[in-house]
Amino acid sequence: MKFGIYYNPLWISPEVVKNPDKYKVKGTDTPVADLVITEPQDIGGGKTLQGDRFDGGQGGERALYWLNVDHPDAEKYLKGYIDFFAEQGASYLRVDFLSWYESGYDKGLGQIGTGHTREQYRKALQWMNEATEKNNIFLSLVMPDLNNHGEYEQKYGDMIRIDEDAFSGGWEHISGPRQE
């Protein structure tokens, strides 16, 4: 049996943002709180989020923040997280909710967050790939949008999980006759 971790290194806890003097990017004087966008974000449909947030059900102020990959110390933070996982003995990293980062969209819930640019998404995947390769960690990319036939996911991941489930174990919803 091998040790794997289910986590997204693009997530930043609101507690870290509330305590900027307490949490720094390893090897720098940069507060981790500086790596997030806290200004209100319009996500369309009359909805606004307080900052660039991932709300996977935590709700409101408990929702996680997304890492601002355009910050100069973002790469060091993300790769540092993966280095930490490797130091703990992890040989597998499963990164979920990638479509929620890339487009801010969930096919069942609609627009739930602020999407990020293709370049920001590419950069995040590239950094994850570089850090996992360096640490000999298998990188599983979960729920990506797979734009351009999975262009970035094929280049930067070891495995993907599509944005759909097999429900009760069958594939009828994918391969069965279409019900009108």
Side-chain angles (χ1 to χ4, degrees):
M1 185 175 292
K2 294 186 176 186
F3 174 49
I5 293 180
Y6 173 90
Y7 189 77
N8 190 324
L10 293 168
W11 292 335
I12 296 180
S13 165
E15 286 305 309
V16 171
V17 176
K18 290 177 193 171
N19 297 288
D21 296 331
K22 191 173 180 181
Y23 303 100
K24 308 283 184 184
V25 176
K26 187 175 180 180
T28 74
D29 288 327
T30 303
V32 174
D34 288 0
L35 305 181
V36 303
I37 296 170
T38 57
E39 294 84 32
Q41 305 289 303
D42 179 7
I43 63 169
K47 296 191 281 186
T48 302
L49 292 177
Q50 186 55 48
D52 186 10
R53 308 294 279 268
F54 164 80
D55 186 356
Q58 309 92 325
E61 292 305 308
R62 293 184 13 221
L64 299 167
Y65 286 91
W66 289 114
L67 173 67
N68 174 9
V69 297
D70 293 329
H71 189 282
D73 285 327
E75 180 178 6
K76 187 174 284 215
Y77 172 84
L78 187 144
K79 287 181 173 181
Y81 232 119
I82 293 171
D83 289 345
F84 172 75
F85 294 152
E87 290 166 9
Q88 304 312 304
S91 61
Y92 180 86
L93 176 60
R94 189 165 176 89
V95 180
D96 205 350
F97 297 101
L98 289 171
S99 65
W100 290 23
Y101 176 78
E102 183 180 10
S103 63
Y105 183 81
D106 179 271
K107 77 179 223 175
L109 301 172
Q111 197 65 39
I112 53 156
T114 305
H116 297 85
T117 68
R118 285 287 289 160
E119 176 56 20
Q120 290 168 324
Y121 181 66
R122 184 207 59 75
K123 193 181 332 184
L125 290 183
Q126 178 183 340
W127 293 345
M128 286 181 215
N129 183 65
E130 290 170 355
T132 54
E133 280 185 351
K134 178 187 116 187
N135 288 295
N136 198 31
I137 294 175
F138 188 91
L139 179 59
S140 172
L141 305 174
V142 181
M143 219 173 83
D145 285 325
L146 296 174
N147 289 318
N148 299 325
H149 303 286
E151 172 187 21
Y152 294 149
E153 295 82 5
Q154 289 185 57
K155 184 174 183 178
Y156 298 120
D158 294 310
M159 179 174 82
I160 61 166
R161 183 197 144 229
I162 59 173
D163 189 5
E164 186 63 69
D165 289 315
F167 301 105
S168 61
W171 291 98
E172 296 83 16
H173 67 287
I174 294 173
S175 64
R178 197 173 175 124
Q179 303 290 321
E180 296 298 328

